[in-house]
Amino acid sequence: MAGLGLVTNYASASVPGWATRSWVVWLVFAVLLATAVGLLLWGRHLDGERPAARLTSVDRPAGSRHGSLRYPHVERVRGREAELAVLTRMLRRPQDEFAVVCGAGGLGKTTVAAQLAARAEEDGRQVFWVRWRDSVDLAQQMTRVAVACGLSEADLEAARAGRESLPDVVWRQLAFSRRRWLLVLDNVDEPQAVDVEGEPVAHYRGWIRPHGRGLLLITSRDTSEQTWGRRARLLPLRPLAVPDAGQVLLDAASRAGTRAQAQELAERLGRLPLALHAAGSYLATPTSRYRTFERYHQALDAELGTLLGAEHPDASDPDTARTVVRHTWELSLDQLAAEGHVLARPLLRMLSILAAAPVPLFLVTPGLLTAATGRSATTAGVEAALAGLYRYGLLDLPEEPGPQARPASGDDPPARVALHPLVREISALALAADTPNLIVWRQAMATRLTEAAHDTARAGRSGWSAARLLAPHLPLLLDHTTVPQDLTDIGDILNRLADVLHDAGAYTPAHALSRHLLHAQTRVLGADHPSTLGSRHSLAKALDGMGRYAQAADLHRQNLVARTRVLGPDHPDALTSRNNLANALYGMGRYAQAADLHRQNLVARTRVLGPDHPDALTSRNNLANALNGMGQCVRAVDLHRRNLAARTRVLGPDHPHTLASRNNLAFALDGTGRHARAADLHRQVLADRARVLGPDHPHTLSSRHNLADALYGMGRYVEAADLYRQALADYLRVLGPDHPHALGSRHNLADALYGMGRYAEAADHHRQNLVARTRVLGPDHPDTLTSRDGLETALLTSTRRDGLRRSR
């Protein structure tokens, strides 16, 4: 109880001695009052040090001091109907989310937002347009928006006094506004600088919130979902479709040419709205040197730096830089540098040295950037720079091939990036202008390309995907190489890589690479140099794979003559040239000549290399194919059966050459009328080729076509037609519409339709094929003659059936 007495003493009846003296009481009271006033003033002082949370002036803001809140006027927007439809739905049915129209500079984000603003105003909504400059200006502008929506003096005073967060006050007013609204925050390219006290945007506690009686629309170069959070609806912009891009040019310069010419120029400009508007304005100016789409297009290659890449005197002003092709992307690079990604600019410059094709990321190493810039680079720094460039839309990620399109070579497709064509060209201009030691950069890239090509060629089948990606960039190695030994060494690597591409069925990139290499080696080494002969051989093989048999035959014939003269008639390379010439003749339908050459080669290779050498087995396989083409199917079956046994023993059951022997045996069996046995074999080979080579390899497609042949021979026309239709679609996609294999599938589809009694459809396919085969193979090629016969038969049968119907 004693403890309780101590506590209750403060409320007891006895008064402390000091309290009996009035002058002491008043002194204590004065001290307490002064302390309270001091604390109040200190608190207001602290509030004044938080400019992001309160206004620098909280009088009702005058619009003239901070610019208009009205949206900019734009003419009709082309090619953004899908994005505007999504935004219009969001505007009419707000659902606690906001929209971010995002993408690289020059894609027209502000234009899309302004078009939506015009629609919103037509619908009777309040529209507010705020252009991002800095955090203080944003606070002022957002307060003006809230005042326009009815923000009271009391709430304004609460924000001024620091009793409430200014963003809370503003957004509470927007939430309870009597009218629906659209609020646009334009050019928010530094989201981390927008919100108060450094909080992430995705916390939604600052100026960006997914709430209210309207729609918040942000335009930004930042395309990261992580930046904006889960309540953001991101609408990334891409370059315009060709028709829309062409129309933008026609809108600006309607007399500059035809629609087709406008679309060609638009494609050259990368279908980028900023570039299209710049070109259109130039063409519409009476004093311009070039007044037509065609002449402007022709001038771009030589005068890109003048027409689109010229520096602007006021480029230091961000609002000006955004409107100039030469400078708009530099703003993003400046921002990345400010964020600490110092490798972003040199990385983009380095990528601009390469071809206008996807770039495999295994090319981009810290050593590459260190060698070019002279500054140490790390893996973490390179990866952060790549991520930053992607976030700001300066790099794109090409769509990954689906599982059905991937090669079955044991490798996943390498990661890769792509530059917009104009970003690449403007970056290359900037590199040349800003870099005094450009040769050092080119040499660094050449060294890295050589290393990558060597590693990929050595990888063989596991490097098929990498070889496809590398091929477009490798001609860079040849552009500045004039030393014979260097060109010989590079040629050996590139020819091995061309062989990898050929094995992968990538004939078009193999052709482009071999053509560049042959041109360079002929110029520096001479036409008869062994390395030059090897490049001519690679080019001819690629042409053969592309179905351009006559051109391939000419090159093989040149090589055969040169190799026989330089190396001797029994040299393995000379025998290879004779073999490949015979194959080209077979593709041209000259089966007897092909058989004679293959017979000579089989004898020579057996004598020089031995009967079980893979090249000797190849000659036996090719002789059997030629005999089958001549109609000697029984002899072909016998040769193929012997060769299949030998290849299985020497190479193994899953080697591509062994699979080819099984395919060719089945094809010959089909020619002897043993269709069911042929179908069984083709079905097995189709499964094995899809497993070993991949479902889109040309050899796999041939097996599907050949299975359809066997089913057709069995009279199973409906099944055959389905397979022919699938094979035709695959050939068109993989090899192109003029490849002889595609033409063969269309011809056989027509035959299957004829067998089903669908004569008019069959005639249509034969008619298409006759025109194409005449153009591609020539009027006297056996396949062309077969198409002519097929068309005549289908037309005659169709006419007779129509006559019978009428007579009934």
Side-chain angles (χ1 to χ4, degrees), residues 41-56 135-136 159-162 196-198:
L41 293 174
W42 180 250
R44 292 193 176 185
H45 170 70
L46 291 178
D47 287 340
E49 292 181 346
R50 293 184 294 182
R54 64 190 294 270
L55 290 169
T56 55
S135 57
V136 174
R160 179 177 58 192
V196 296
E197 299 181 359

Side-chain angles (χ1 to χ4, degrees), residues 370-391:
T370 298
T373 65
R375 295 178 303 202
S376 178
T378 64
T379 299
V382 170
E383 290 179 352
L386 286 167
L389 291 169
Y390 175 69
R391 179 161 56 95

